[in-house]
Amino acid sequence: MEHEINILVVEPGRPPRPARVDYSLETFSQLVGGELAMGCFLPHRVMLLYNEDANRQGLPPNRCNPFVVIR
């Protein structure tokens, strides 16, 4: 049985776009381009998936969070 979910892909320098993907850790890891990290933001019930090593890989941020200090 195939399990897919609807997501919103947010890439650097591009507008967010909806997509439908397989619901698997492998797919999510491929989408973020590396080691998968997650964060849940309530009350909006939003799950953010991102590349945990993006800073070390020198990747640009997609959006800036004023509450996070990057060193």
Side-chain angles (χ1 to χ4, degrees):
M1 175 184 271
E2 191 172 305
H3 290 87
E4 292 186 332
I5 62 169
N6 295 315
I7 64 168
L8 187 63
V9 178
V10 181
E11 299 171 303
R14 303 177 105 183
R17 63 178 171 83
R20 187 159 178 86
V21 300
D22 290 330
Y23 184 63
S24 71
L25 291 176
E26 293 82 17
T27 298
F28 299 148
S29 184
Q30 288 174 353
L31 282 169
V32 302
E35 188 70 28
L36 189 63
M38 300 175 216
C40 184
F41 293 90
L42 299 173
H44 304 292
R45 296 186 356 204
V46 173
M47 178 65 72
L48 295 179
L49 305 176
Y50 57 94
N51 182 331
E52 187 171 46
D53 296 323
N55 282 341
R56 283 178 279 209
Q57 293 174 357
L59 298 175
N62 346 14
R63 305 292 185 270
C64 292
N65 182 341
F67 302 106
V68 174
V69 177
I70 299 174
R71 299 169 197 218

